[in-house]
Amino acid sequence: MSSGALLDDRVRVRAPGKINLFLGVGAVMDDGYHELATAFQAVSLYEDVVAEHADGFTVEVHGSGPIGVADVPTDDRNLAVRAARMLARQTGYRGGVHLRIDKGVPVAGGMGGGSADAAAALVACDALWETAQTPAQLHRLAARLGADVPFSLMGGTAIGTGRGDEVSPALARGRFDWVLVTSGAGLSTPSVYAELDRLRAEPRLDIAPVEAPPTVDVETLHALRSGDADRLAPALANDLQAAALSLRPDLGDVIAFGVASGALAGLVSGSGPTVAFLCDGAGAALELQVTLSAAGMSALHAHGPVPGARIVG
Ligand code: C5P
């Protein structure tokens, strides 16, 4: 076997987690999903997926500390395994794959860790099996695997519409620094959407009514283009936050504590329970991380935007 073939026996792909800088949730569509208008940013917490030739489809999952891998399924429910099987079916590939996932994105945290696994598995298997899918073909498979999977393929900063799976790049200048506070028990995405529907059905003044169709606030787009964190802070918004706080009222205290400790802004990331704090540069983020850690919280520092799923050495 040549050394080239040996190198091809194993492919490592890195895919990023994400923060929703803006998440407008509209009405439920015919397919049961909510219509979304979102601004995603890929951040420097990564899932690494290594794919090796195998007869069947197997996965092992590793991660430590605040990441919490115990709840990740290692059978056919695993999103990376589903991605690999879907690619094999699509291309007629007859073999299998063994996947090793090293998790750096909090599990069930609202940061798209499972979606990143799926995106990474698609790219890794396509390279390992030499199935030569075009970006458009990979995108179509990604959208079938989950609403956030196409964005994890793309990375950077992007606008997502439809279920969140119709993505187009957004102009963003510079770098934004984030501190992410993770929580022990995750929140299930469907339960947070269901809670938002329940809250919206109640006559309340503090929950925005359904805007049809939702759009990303132009001020969020201007702030991203300016690269100015001070400007982006008041333009961060998440319609799912009220629902996440209703299920997990303690997250409100986390947000208040982070903002009182120097963050420019704090919001629930996606469906939560991870809370994302925007900081005034890397130094301020490190200071906030120390303060939050000293108060007993699990705090990670990340920056964005970073690239989407890609093969690494
Ligand atoms: O596509 P994904 O599997 O990530 O979505 C998980 C769940 O989140 C869906 O089953 C649905 O309950 C909810 N969801 C939604 N509308 C979206 C995206 C997700 O209702 N646009």
Side-chain angles (χ1 to χ4, degrees):
M1 193 180 284
S2 75
S3 60
L6 265 180
L7 277 179
D8 289 340
D9 276 356
R10 216 160 168 266
V11 177
R12 176 186 292 271
V13 172
R14 178 163 292 176
K18 56 82 186 170
I19 297 171
N20 298 86
L21 310 174
F22 183 98
L23 179 52
V25 181
V28 179
M29 302 182 290
D30 290 344
D31 60 5
Y33 277 71
H34 293 73
E35 184 169 20
L36 301 186
T38 188
F40 294 106
Q41 182 155 89
V43 297
S44 60
L45 299 181
Y46 299 103
E47 302 284 282
D48 273 7
V49 174
V50 177
E52 286 178 345
H53 290 291
D55 293 331
F57 290 81
T58 50
V59 64
E60 57 183 296
V61 183
H62 300 267
S64 58
I67 306 303
V69 297
D71 296 334
V72 179
T74 52
D75 55 20
D76 277 356
R77 289 169 300 163
N78 185 287
L79 209 51
V81 172
R82 284 170 49 197
R85 283 192 183 278
M86 194 182 279
L87 179 67
R89 253 197 323 275
Q90 176 77 19
T91 58
Y93 182 75
R94 303 292 277 261
V97 69
H98 177 69
L99 299 167
R100 177 193 162 104
I101 302 176
D102 285 297
K103 296 195 73 70
V105 180
V107 172
M111 292 192 64
S115 301
D117 295 344
L122 284 178
V123 173
C125 292
D126 184 46
L128 185 75
W129 297 339
E130 298 179 353
T131 39
Q133 296 292 283
T134 64
Q137 286 172 317
L138 285 180
H139 177 102
R140 271 196 296 279
L141 291 173
R144 283 167 56 196
L145 288 158
D148 291 338
V149 184
F151 173 68
S152 194
L153 279 180
M154 172 183 270
T157 306
I159 302 304
T161 53
R163 300 187 307 171
D165 56 336
E166 293 162 26
V167 285
S168 54
L171 213 58
R173 214 185 296 279
R175 131 180 183 147
F176 295 98
D177 281 89
W178 302 93
V179 172
L180 291 321
V181 172
T182 63
S183 291
L187 277 173
S188 101
T189 303
S191 69
V192 177
Y193 276 97
E195 180 68 1
L196 179 63
D197 292 339
R198 193 187 70 75
L199 293 173
R200 281 175 165 173
E202 287 178 356
R204 293 168 59 132
L205 292 176
D206 56 334
I207 308 288
V210 176
E211 185 197 338
T215 53
V216 175
D217 198 329
V218 288
E219 183 48 28
T220 311
L221 300 175
H222 286 156
L224 284 168
R225 242 172 267 154
S226 75
D228 182 351
D230 275 316
R231 186 165 177 187
L232 182 60
L236 297 170
N238 179 3
D239 279 353
L240 288 179
Q241 177 159 314
L245 293 186
S246 170
L247 297 171
R248 286 282 306 273
D250 57 302
L251 299 179
D253 300 332
V254 174
I255 294 174
F257 186 78
V259 170
S261 304
L264 297 176
L267 85 169
V268 169
S269 172
S271 56
T274 301
V275 172
F277 291 106
L278 179 61
C279 298
D280 189 13
L286 285 174
E287 272 178 41
L288 181 64
Q289 187 186 13
V290 169
T291 305
L292 297 177
S293 302
M297 300 177 198
S298 290
L300 304 165
H301 176 201
H303 63 89
V306 298
R310 67 196 194 285
I311 296 173
V312 290

